[in-house]
Amino acid sequence: MSRRVSLPGASELFGGAAPKQTRPEKRTTTTDGSSLSDDRPGSNGRARTAVVEDRKSSGRIRHDTKITVYVTEEELLGLEQTRLALRAEHGLTADRGRIVREAIDVLLADFVDHGPDSVLVQRLRAAAPE
């Protein structure tokens, strides 16, 4: 006879406590910024599909999808210094993952709003081999 007690897991205890995440509305915008009602490309064939919502990152929730990103020591140090500066200078507590999710959200929102003039496009063009 075993003396171990069997306890329920966290999913059994908290299974219904987390709010369900809804999928954001998708909208296709042409490069001139006009919207299309569905995901068809514009008349010139140049369109991009963007997730449109209140442009807020997911924050501290359970994330079901994971990616691995390799960074240099300098990038990691910059991220850590930013985390510490947010806490020391602004009274904001955020882990590295939260900062990265916020940065991604800001960058993607800029891309949706500005397309070819976005920071992302400019930086990728500058880094592209000649």
Side-chain angles (χ1 to χ4, degrees):
M1 180 168 133
S2 174
R3 292 181 162 230
R4 296 190 111 179
V5 176
S6 177
L7 297 174
S11 61
E12 288 86 12
L13 290 174
F14 305 110
K20 288 282 187 184
Q21 294 293 320
T22 59
R23 298 194 82 182
E25 167 192 348
K26 285 194 177 182
R27 175 181 75 185
T28 300
T29 56
T30 60
T31 53
D32 64 359
S34 61
S35 294
L36 299 172
S37 60
D38 59 9
D39 287 336
R40 290 178 295 137
S43 59
N44 62 1
R46 293 170 48 197
R48 62 183 182 275
T49 301
V51 175
V52 178
E53 57 181 313
D54 291 336
R55 297 310 318 166
K56 190 173 183 181
S57 79
S58 58
R60 283 189 72 90
I61 62 167
R62 176 177 158 80
H63 294 90
D64 296 326
T65 307
K66 177 183 176 181
I67 65 168
T68 301
V69 178
Y70 292 92
V71 297
T72 65
E73 285 186 33
E74 291 173 357
E75 291 166 333
L76 184 59
L77 183 59
L79 184 58
E80 193 61 29
Q81 288 173 337
T82 300
R83 186 185 69 78
L84 293 172
L86 284 169
R87 188 172 71 187
E89 299 169 20
H90 304 285
L92 298 170
T93 304
D95 59 27
R96 294 181 301 203
R98 174 79 187 272
I99 295 169
V100 169
R101 286 189 300 275
E102 290 290 343
I104 289 170
D105 188 60
V106 169
L107 191 67
L108 295 179
D110 179 61
F111 177 71
V112 168
D113 292 342
H114 300 105
D117 297 326
S118 67
V119 172
L120 177 62
V121 172
Q122 292 174 10
R123 290 181 62 104
L124 289 175
R125 280 192 181 136
E130 299 292 322

